[in-house]
Amino acid sequence: DAGVTQSPTHLIKTRGQHVTLRCSPISGHKSVSWYQQVLGQGPQFIFQYYEKEERGRGNFPDRFSARQFPNYSSELNVNALLLGDSALYLCASSLRVNTGELFFGEGSRLTVL
Amino acid sequence: QKEVEQDPGPLSVPEGAIVSLNCTYSNSAFQYFMWYRQYSRKGPELLMYTYSSGNKEDGRFTAQVDKSSKYISLFIRDSQPSDSATYLCAMSAGGGGQNFVFGPGTRLSVLP
């Protein structure tokens, strides 16, 4: 079975632009979470969706938004990009919402110039 | 005090050594404890998953949780160069992703 897939793998944007990152969870997983990982740090929680509903939101500005589709895939959108948004964006899927048994994709590496 | 603390390393050991990686935490509500391995420029991979206190063994890996001391450990026996990676501890209080916290990770190098 395929694992969590993310696209694009790498992208370069300029300040003020908008970006959309996509994620397909493991088949049968209904929960998708998004994380931001800056070099040298652990992943920071952004959003969690379960059955198309937002189940958690981390401490990120409103420029960050996400949604989950009926097939459980998900998009993360970031508006008005800042230099500090440069990071590895990770998507993780799980069977359940509560336990933290997460399966990660390879990530989308965003560079903002 | 940070919610989860982990020595960032780097930690270098010779091949075959026993490696001990540790995390401390402050939130007594944490009840799910995980260790992830992350190779350079890759996503984290779940290694060990433990609920509440106790030990769990899987091959060369042993995870220990001491909730009374708010301390978790990962032991790697007979370490191999392929174990060279960053090891992230993670903890969850349940109830969704906002209650799930990663440590900063320890970078491990196993030298042949």
Side-chain angles (χ1 to χ4, degrees):
Chain A
D1 278 344
V4 177
T5 57
Q6 292 187 244
S7 63
T9 54
H10 295 83
L11 66 166
I12 299 174
K13 294 285 188 178
T14 57
R15 281 177 297 175
Q17 284 189 313
H18 162 270
V19 68
T20 297
L21 308 177
R22 296 177 176 85
C23 172
S24 293
I26 292 171
S27 177
H29 286 193
K30 299 180 179 179
S31 177
V32 170
S33 300
W34 287 96
Y35 287 81
Q36 181 195 66
Q37 186 176 27
V38 175
L39 193 63
Q41 296 182 20
Q44 297 293 313
F45 172 72
I46 309 175
F47 286 108
Q48 183 178 33
Y49 279 78
Y50 181 78
E51 290 277 20
K52 303 183 292 293
E53 291 190 4
E54 183 182 301
R55 298 297 296 268
R57 174 185 286 252
N59 188 24
F60 279 81
D62 291 343
R63 298 184 295 107
F64 289 76
S65 63
R67 55 180 174 167
Q68 187 177 33
F69 298 101
N71 66 354
Y72 304 112
S73 67
S74 178
E75 279 183 357
L76 175 70
N77 294 281
V78 186
N79 292 325
L81 286 167
L82 303 174
L83 296 179
D85 295 331
S86 297
L88 180 67
Y89 288 85
L90 294 162
C91 173
S93 76
S94 58
L95 277 171
R96 291 174 287 273
V97 170
N98 292 334
T99 62
E101 202 170 7
L102 301 176
F103 297 87
F104 284 88
E106 297 296 302
S108 294
R109 187 164 298 279
L110 171 65
T111 301
V112 182
L113 302 177
Chain B
Q1 181 188 11
K2 291 185 179 179
E3 199 166 18
V4 177
E5 306 224 25
Q6 184 177 9
D7 187 338
L11 176 64
S12 293
V13 301
E15 183 175 355
I18 296 175
V19 176
S20 173
L21 304 169
N22 311 294
C23 285
T24 58
Y25 63 95
S26 57
N27 186 349
S28 58
F30 288 142
Q31 50 184 325
Y32 303 96
F33 302 91
M34 283 70 63
W35 285 95
Y36 288 82
R37 177 175 61 195
Q38 186 173 24
Y39 291 113
S40 179
R41 310 186 80 79
K42 298 289 187 180
E45 170 194 11
L46 180 63
L47 270 182
M48 299 291 282
Y49 173 83
T50 310
Y51 173 70
S52 195
S53 285
N55 295 354
K56 185 174 183 178
E57 187 173 325
D58 184 0
R60 297 185 295 112
F61 298 91
T62 299
Q64 290 185 350
V65 175
D66 183 348
K67 291 186 70 178
S68 63
S69 301
K70 297 189 178 67
Y71 187 88
I72 71 170
S73 300
L74 177 71
F75 297 95
I76 307 174
R77 292 183 297 281
D78 187 25
S79 56
Q80 302 295 309
S82 58
D83 295 328
S84 298
T86 295
Y87 289 81
L88 300 154
C89 64
M91 305 167 191
S92 173
Q98 68 275 15
N99 299 320
F100 187 87
V101 181
F102 279 89
T106 298
R107 188 153 55 93
L108 171 68
S109 293
V110 181
L111 307 175

